Amino acid sequence: MATIGDVAKVAGVSRSTASYALSGKRAISHDVRRRVEDAVRQLGYTPNAGARALATSQTRVIGLLAQFFDDEFAPAMMQYIRGVTDTARELGYDTLLVSEADGPNALRRITDSRMVDGVVLLNVAEQDDRLPVLRTAGAPGALVGLPRDTTGVDVFDLDFEEAGRAMVDHLAALGHRELLLVSQPDHVVERGGAYVWRLRDAAVAQAALRGVRLHTASAAAHQPQVGSDLRTLLEQHPDVTGLLLNNEAAAAALPSVLQTRGLSVPADLSVVGRFSDEFARNFSLPYSSVESAPDRLGSMAVRQLVRRIEGGGEVTEPHVVRYITPEIVDRGSTDRPRV
Amino acid sequence: MATIGDVAKVAGVSRSTASYALSGKRAISHDVRRRVEDAVRQLGYTPNAGARALATSQTRVIGLLAQFFDDEFAPAMMQYIRGVTDTARELGYDTLLVSEADGPNALRRITDSRMVDGVVLLNVAEQDDRLPVLRTAGAPGALVGLPRDTTGVDVFDLDFEEAGRAMVDHLAALGHRELLLVSQPDHVVERGGAYVWRLRDAAVAQAALRGVRLHTASAAAHQPQVGSDLRTLLEQHPDVTGLLLNNEAAAAALPSVLQTRGLSVPADLSVVGRFSDEFARNFSLPYSSVESAPDRLGSMAVRQLVRRIEGGGEVTEPHVVRYITPEIVDRGSTDRPRV
DNA sequence: CTGAAAGCGCTTACAG
DNA sequence: CTGAAAGCGCTTACAG
């Protein structure tokens, strides 16, 4: 592999001049610049990333901390990841993907060893073990998901409260008076999945305000359990005319459950979910939904992270907590309740 | 951040001794080793990855080249990625995930700049643009997917020929005499997705051998087109009693299609797919299938890659082309044909 | 068993 | 506008 020394030799200049000619960090005569560029082309020179990182203390790599829980729905993760990698590349960064079970340890490893300039944390819990590590790491961090303590980090998340209200309002406006909200399994909440109760509590309050009954329940995150949970819930609540789903696995399982019960949407039951449009297309889900916008959230997190990285790390702008406003994508699964 | 110099100072030894004490590459007195280890703990020392890479020419990072095509089904990708990252970590490597559209360029960038010790290529096409780049890159590479020319790389793939035969045999043994195979869209083939015709041609040959009629067709990879494709195909082939699916989107869309046509499985139609068990669970797919084992393929590719990386790069073992034997997972979606 | 020194390939003050 | 030199933080022959 050619080094900058080889480039300098071929161009007939010093190594520093070759370096400056390529970085543009000081004035270079037109002639020298040309000779250096020709040499680069001729030798197929690419700077050694490790050497550059050592000299500049910048890796141009961001760390992406994903995590996979047994009780959460894996396919949705891919879209967050693409939002991050695509935007990172657009801004000139590569992405180190870390998905090991011990998140805090992984985070410490990649920051302490200076493999990355900053990190994006996915799937952040209310009390996330990774946050204490991140705060002492020195590297800037952007989160997708809202922790209780947001000091020192930039946070991006769907406005789940508003999502809950929007779902209730949508069905209430159509005349529904008895609704059922199916959430993630309880252990997701126990583990700190705040979005579950953020959506639920707001939905409950809004239902009270609108004078509609809202039952709340949870269902598993996997087949076959989620299917039988749904069947049981529908049996327990025969008077419900509108179903709210804050559980992607339940949304994926619902079509076959309704089929076996001979229920059709929206004639017998109105349904609104909370998932992404891509998810809906992949799984052929014919349900209107609050768009969860995973790619946008991943992208926003990276943009902010890169601003911080390139802002110098010193006293810069205050940290942000930014919510995406939920929008309902209409797929024709809601109508007035049957009488 | 503490450096090895700080560690040496605190331990009262030279930097080289500190380094050797940590690497274990030469004999160290018990006393010195203890002092060095204490100093490491006290300072929270972690080696700087860039400096180490520069000194050793080893990054302990592997590059993972994923690609997302509009006409392929994204959710399946996640499992390959997890197979790679989990196994890499197990072997002491981190993973640089690259998913930009221009694969050859991305590959050149991360290998020329020495960001990675080797690469795993996902979704390899018959004539893959990334392979010429890989062959000149000097870094070892392991592929998931079978290209026409396998020189210089290690290759892992499902045995799609055997998968096609197994699907036909399974239904033929139950007495089916008229089958329909639904494959990926034609542009997947045109782009070099050899697995489409590898499975199809083997299925056709096996059907001839067994004396059963096998119709072949393709369907889109996305909703809503794939749904209407399936409806059209079922109308065109009313006498078909067994359906083979080499198209994950079609498998995901099939339940609602059958529902609207009032067909039940396996009473009216036997169905066998080709997808992973995790995929089946996530999408609630009640169809028997040839297991595509993405996590195992990703894992095998990484293991072989790491052997090459650590084997020294010189004349070592010959390259391998290894196929996973397809196994049918029974989900009760096949039975004798109705008469 | 340990240390002083060179070198990996860059960048960037310092000097002219 | 250009060059010689120092330094980033490691590892590893070389010497004792």
Side-chain angles (χ1 to χ4, degrees):
Chain A
M1 229 28 230
T3 72
I4 188 111
D6 300 325
V7 171
K9 204 168 299 172
V10 168
V13 297
S14 72
R15 286 164 49 203
S16 56
T17 298
S19 177
Y20 281 119
L22 293 174
S23 70
K25 286 191 181 170
R26 77 178 182 193
I28 296 283
S29 73
H30 193 72
D31 178 49
V32 164
R33 181 188 305 276
R34 262 205 30 156
R35 271 160 35 217
V36 169
E37 282 166 359
D38 285 350
V40 164
R41 238 180 318 257
Q42 180 187 329
L43 296 168
Y45 168 73
T46 308
N48 179 299
R52 175 174 278 179
L54 185 57
T56 62
S57 305
Q58 285 234 6
T59 62
R60 301 209 64 100
V61 174
I62 66 169
L64 175 54
L65 279 265
Q67 28 189 11
F68 297 95
F69 296 115
D70 282 348
D71 56 5
E72 283 185 341
F73 195 70
M77 188 63 75
M78 195 70 245
Q79 297 173 65
Y80 288 101
I81 294 177
R82 287 199 63 190
V84 169
T85 57
D86 288 351
T87 302
R89 198 76 273 293
E90 187 187 313
L91 300 176
Y93 285 75
D94 274 298
T95 304
L96 194 76
L97 173 64
V98 174
S99 62
E100 59 197 279
D102 187 348
N105 210 40
L107 180 55
R108 186 160 13 234
R109 177 165 47 79
I110 67 173
T111 53
D112 282 0
S113 65
R114 298 279 123 109
M115 298 181 84
V116 297
D117 295 336
V119 293
V120 171
L121 270 53
L122 253 35
N123 217 337
V124 172
E126 215 187 348
Q127 308 251 32
D128 200 298
D129 289 348
R130 299 170 296 181
L131 285 182
V133 176
L134 176 57
R135 292 205 177 88
T136 64
L143 319 186
V144 176
L146 176 67
R148 186 194 300 278
D149 179 1
T150 64
T151 57
V153 293
D154 293 305
V155 176
F156 300 86
D157 205 0
L158 181 68
D159 187 339
F160 281 94
E161 283 86 355
E162 187 54 35
R165 287 189 287 268
M167 292 163 94
V168 167
D169 277 352
H170 181 79
L171 291 176
L174 287 167
H176 291 266
R177 287 292 164 261
E178 184 147 2
L179 306 176
L180 170 62
L181 167 62
V182 177
S183 299
Q184 296 273 18
D186 288 336
H187 20 113
V188 173
V189 180
E190 286 155 21
R191 201 181 49 225
Y195 67 96
V196 176
W197 57 256
R198 281 163 57 204
L199 187 147
R200 185 189 57 212
D201 292 357
V204 166
Q206 192 72 359
L209 200 68
R210 294 281 182 250
V212 318
R213 293 190 63 175
L214 174 66
H215 307 277
T216 62
S218 61
H222 281 296
Q223 282 292 337
Q225 188 56 44
V226 58
S228 81
D229 287 353
L230 286 172
R231 272 186 286 277
T232 306
L233 288 169
L234 290 175
E235 269 164 31
Q236 289 173 342
H237 300 286
D239 296 335
V240 157
T241 60
L243 196 57
L244 315 184
L245 300 174
N246 187 24
N247 175 328
E248 278 145 327
L254 189 61
S256 70
V257 170
L258 294 182
Q259 175 177 11
T260 59
R261 295 185 64 83
L263 294 174
S264 70
V265 171
D268 302 312
L269 192 66
S270 286
V271 178
V272 186
R274 194 272 314 149
F275 44 75
S276 75
D277 186 58
E278 186 169 330
F279 184 80
R281 275 185 295 119
N282 282 334
F283 286 71
S284 314
L285 296 184
Y287 308 130
S288 300
S289 71
V290 170
E291 171 63 41
S292 55
D295 46 351
R296 248 176 82 204
L297 285 165
S299 176
M300 289 169 74
V302 170
R303 282 181 205 288
Q304 178 69 8
L305 180 65
V306 168
R307 291 187 60 188
R308 286 227 181 268
I309 289 170
E310 300 183 348
E314 291 315 308
V315 217
T316 45
E317 317 152 49
H319 288 87
V320 303
V321 177
R322 209 158 284 159
Y323 298 107
I324 284 192
T325 304
E327 286 176 33
I328 292 187
V329 179
D330 188 352
R331 296 192 186 84
S333 63
T334 62
D335 202 344
R336 281 172 298 183
R338 62 158 192 275
V339 280
Chain B
M1 230 27 230
T3 72
I4 189 113
D6 300 326
V7 170
K9 205 169 298 170
V10 169
V13 297
S14 72
R15 287 163 49 200
S16 56
T17 299
S19 177
Y20 282 120
L22 293 175
S23 70
K25 286 192 182 170
R26 77 178 182 194
I28 296 283
S29 74
H30 193 71
D31 178 48
V32 164
R33 181 189 305 277
R34 262 205 29 158
R35 277 169 21 225
V36 169
E37 281 166 359
D38 287 350
V40 164
R41 239 179 318 258
Q42 179 188 326
L43 296 167
Y45 167 73
T46 307
N48 179 300
R52 175 174 278 180
L54 186 56
T56 62
S57 304
Q58 286 233 3
T59 62
R60 301 208 65 96
V61 174
I62 65 169
L64 175 53
L65 279 266
Q67 29 190 11
F68 297 94
F69 296 114
D70 282 349
D71 56 5
E72 283 185 341
F73 196 69
M77 189 62 76
M78 195 71 245
Q79 298 174 64
Y80 288 101
I81 294 177
R82 287 200 62 190
V84 169
T85 57
D86 288 352
T87 302
R89 197 78 273 293
E90 186 186 313
L91 300 176
Y93 285 75
D94 274 298
T95 304
L96 195 75
L97 173 63
V98 174
S99 62
E100 61 199 276
D102 187 349
N105 210 40
L107 180 55
R108 186 161 12 232
R109 176 165 47 81
I110 67 173
T111 53
D112 281 359
S113 66
R114 298 277 122 109
M115 299 180 84
V116 298
D117 294 337
V119 294
V120 172
L121 269 53
L122 253 36
N123 215 338
V124 173
E126 215 190 347
Q127 308 252 32
D128 200 299
D129 287 347
R130 299 170 295 179
L131 286 182
V133 176
L134 176 57
R135 292 204 177 91
T136 64
L143 319 188
V144 176
L146 176 67
R148 184 194 301 276
D149 179 1
T150 63
T151 57
V153 293
D154 293 305
V155 177
F156 301 87
D157 204 1
L158 182 68
D159 186 339
F160 281 94
E161 280 86 357
E162 187 54 35
R165 287 190 285 267
M167 292 162 93
V168 168
D169 278 351
H170 181 79
L171 291 176
L174 287 167
H176 291 266
R177 288 292 163 262
E178 183 148 3
L179 307 175
L180 170 63
L181 166 62
V182 178
S183 300
Q184 296 273 18
D186 289 335
H187 20 113
V188 173
V189 181
E190 285 154 22
R191 201 181 50 228
Y195 67 97
V196 176
W197 57 256
R198 281 163 56 204
L199 188 148
R200 184 190 57 211
D201 292 356
V204 166
Q206 191 73 359
L209 201 67
R210 295 282 181 248
V212 317
R213 291 191 62 175
L214 175 66
H215 307 276
T216 61
S218 61
H222 281 295
Q223 282 290 337
Q225 187 57 43
V226 58
S228 81
D229 286 353
L230 286 172
R231 272 185 287 277
T232 305
L233 287 169
L234 290 175
E235 267 163 33
Q236 289 173 339
H237 300 285
D239 295 332
V240 158
T241 61
L243 195 58
L244 315 185
L245 301 174
N246 188 23
N247 176 329
E248 279 146 327
L254 188 62
S256 69
V257 170
L258 294 181
Q259 175 178 10
T260 59
R261 296 185 64 84
L263 293 174
S264 70
V265 170
D268 302 312
L269 192 67
S270 286
V271 178
V272 186
R274 195 271 314 149
F275 42 76
S276 75
D277 187 57
E278 187 171 328
F279 184 79
R281 277 185 294 118
N282 282 333
F283 286 70
S284 314
L285 296 186
Y287 308 130
S288 300
S289 70
V290 170
E291 172 63 40
S292 56
D295 46 351
R296 247 175 85 205
L297 285 166
S299 176
M300 289 169 76
V302 170
R303 282 182 204 289
Q304 178 70 8
L305 180 66
V306 168
R307 291 185 62 188
R308 286 227 180 266
I309 290 169
E310 300 183 348
E314 290 316 308
V315 216
T316 46
E317 319 151 49
H319 288 87
V320 304
V321 177
R322 209 160 281 159
Y323 297 106
I324 285 192
T325 304
E327 287 176 31
I328 291 187
V329 179
D330 189 350
R331 296 192 185 83
S333 63
T334 61
D335 203 344
R336 281 172 297 183
R338 61 158 194 275
V339 279

